[in-house]
Every structure is written in structure tokens, then in C-alpha cells.
Amino acid sequence: MKSRNKSLRYHVEDGRELHLFVAQGKVPGGSGAMRQRYIGQMMVDPINPVEIHRGPGQDHKMRNALVFRLRPVPGSRPAWKEEDWLKPAAGNDVEDVDTVPMIPAQTSVKDKDSEQYTTSETVADVPGGPRTVLRREGLLVEAFKKDLEAAGHMHKSFQITIAGEVGALTPDLYDITDHVLYEAKGLTTRTNIRMAIGQLADYRRHLPNPEGLRAAVLLPSEPSKDVKDLLASQNVHLVYQTRDGFAGFPLAT
């Protein structure tokens, strides 16, 4: 997150406006310069500002790309055209990717500065809401990755595209050594754990080598007995953080 990426990510904190253009045709004369069509003024989403997607670069080689999530500033009317919208995937595909690294978080002061630009879709839970939970999940995954590596385990993730759908699914973590798919949640609540169970059920349908694949939920603390029973009934393992590391890891055979 440096150079122009950093300038884009922190444009609100740095007091810069962000305006979106799309290339559309070439300027006459053979210079190769592209015409630009103006869409409107934007802002980087304050809750989930950037994602890492796998895709081909200009050299047609697969690479990790930073995909910034933009929202129109309040009161604006972007000049979208149908051709600007993302197209659904033509078919199913699963691409191996590195586990998504954490994007540096804003400071609390900068967070407050950026909230004045949020739209009605993001403002409801901004203070201590989804952004904080995403941060907790990222820290939890990073801590667990260190334990995996210390135990000699290799890990990665996947980018799953589905025919007829826009975007991609990206599981939190896959333990290559033990053939385990993990879904992390930043809060140990029944709602979050039920969501994790559903996500794991969705992801595992599309992954290669499903034979023997195990699923596990990664939590920041120990859940209640009934939630443990819920996980066991769905054949989902439980790993949660303790003062000394992670209980439940390595998974019981």
C-alpha cells in the first residue's frame, strides 16, 4: 500500500477529491492516447476499502491485484452506462491464491474524518461496527497463520468464480498440510458462527479434491456449549484463540 495505491486509499484523510474516469476509445491522430469518459466523484469505501483479487496482468500472467471499492459521494449522480458494470462469470473456476494479507488499518482519528463522506449504506455501523470486526478477523487469521507455520504447515486460499455471478468467493484460509478449510469470525456470536457454517458449506462444494476435506471455524474466544454442539452436528471443527495460542489445533483425527 504505497505510491499511487496509498494516495488512493487515503484520499479522504489527505484532503483529496477522487474522480472516476473510464477509458473509451482512442484520440484521433495515431498517438495511442485514450479518450476518457467522466463518471463522477467517488470515495473509497470506509468499511472495506480494498480487496485482493487474482487475475491476469497486461502480460497475461496471473497476479494479485488490489481492487479498490468505490462509492459515489453523497448527493452525486454518477454517469454510469450499462457497459461499466461488471459482467457475470462465464463459467466456474477455482484459482489458487496466497492468503490475503492485511491492508493497513486507519487510525481512529482518520476513521472519524472519513465518516463524513460515508453513504447511507455504510454509515449505520461504521463506529466500532463492520470495520472493527473485519480488523479483528484479519488479526485473528494472521496470528493463526503464525501458529500454522510454526507447526510446519503450509497454507493458501482460493478465488472461486461462479458461472452467472459477478465477483468471486475467497475463503479465509486453507491448511494445505492437513487439508482443512477455515472460516474466521471476529466475534464469537451465534449469528457469526451460523454464517461461518453456511460459508464453509458453500465454499467446499466448489473446491478441488473434496475427498477428506475438513472444515473448521476460527474464533477469537471459546463459544458456548450449545454452539459447540451446533458445530459438531454439522461436522465442523472448532479452533479458538486462548492466551497461550489456539485451542483445537491441531484438529483431532
Side-chain angles (χ1 to χ4, degrees):
M1 191 58 59
K2 58 186 179 181
S3 188
R4 286 179 292 180
N5 287 331
K6 184 177 180 181
S7 297
L8 177 57
R9 170 67 180 84
Y10 296 109
H11 75 97
V12 172
E13 293 83 349
D14 295 337
R16 288 191 292 269
E17 291 186 356
L18 174 61
H19 294 265
L20 178 63
F21 296 78
V22 294
Q24 189 169 54
K26 293 187 177 181
V27 175
S31 67
M34 300 296 293
R35 289 184 180 274
Q36 301 292 324
R37 175 165 54 84
Y38 181 61
I39 301 296
Q41 187 176 354
M42 300 283 156
M43 59 166 291
V44 173
D45 186 288
I47 293 176
N48 189 18
V50 59
E51 298 175 346
I52 298 179
H53 289 187
R54 190 75 171 166
Q58 291 183 344
D59 56 3
H60 305 294
K61 294 181 180 179
M62 296 301 291
R63 55 181 289 184
N64 290 335
L66 296 177
V67 179
F68 289 87
R69 304 179 71 243
L70 305 182
R71 294 182 178 273
V73 298
S76 67
R77 294 186 178 181
W80 301 118
K81 291 187 177 182
E82 185 176 351
E83 63 200 71
D84 297 325
W85 297 103
L86 291 174
K87 304 299 185 294
N92 292 354
D93 184 52
V94 180
E95 178 80 22
D96 286 6
V97 296
D98 295 332
T99 50
V100 177
M102 286 188 62
I103 301 299
Q106 297 170 317
T107 66
S108 58
V109 174
K110 290 181 178 179
D111 284 347
K112 292 179 180 178
D113 288 343
S114 68
E115 285 161 19
Q116 62 181 308
Y117 296 98
T118 57
T119 68
S120 59
E121 293 181 79
T122 61
V123 72
D125 293 315
V126 165
R131 180 170 47 208
T132 301
V133 174
L134 287 172
R135 176 70 174 164
R136 287 174 181 167
E137 287 180 9
L139 292 171
L140 181 65
V141 171
E142 290 298 311
F144 185 57
K145 282 161 56 177
K146 291 180 180 178
D147 271 32
L148 282 176
E149 292 163 3
H153 289 220
M154 298 178 64
H155 57 78
K156 64 178 181 180
S157 187
F158 303 95
Q159 180 175 284
I160 306 166
T161 51
I162 310 297
E165 296 186 9
V166 173
L169 306 175
T170 306
D172 285 326
L173 189 66
Y174 169 66
D175 181 347
I176 301 171
T177 305
D178 274 358
H179 197 29
V180 181
L181 188 66
Y182 287 89
E183 182 62 26
K185 291 301 171 190
L187 295 175
T188 304
T189 65
R190 183 179 296 270
T191 298
N192 278 274
I193 293 165
R194 289 162 78 182
M195 184 184 300
I197 292 171
Q199 288 173 280
L200 288 165
D202 191 10
Y203 296 149
R204 68 194 307 177
R205 296 183 306 124
H206 301 287
L207 295 186
N209 304 318
E211 297 81 9
L213 175 65
R214 292 185 288 174
V217 171
L218 181 64
L219 299 174
S221 59
E222 183 177 9
S224 69
K225 180 183 182 303
D226 189 66
V227 167
K228 291 181 180 179
D229 292 342
L230 169 63
L231 290 168
S233 72
Q234 300 303 306
N235 198 27
V236 175
H237 293 264
L238 168 65
V239 176
Y240 61 90
Q241 193 169 28
T242 67
R243 291 182 178 180
D244 302 320
F246 287 88
F249 175 77
L251 301 189
T253 56

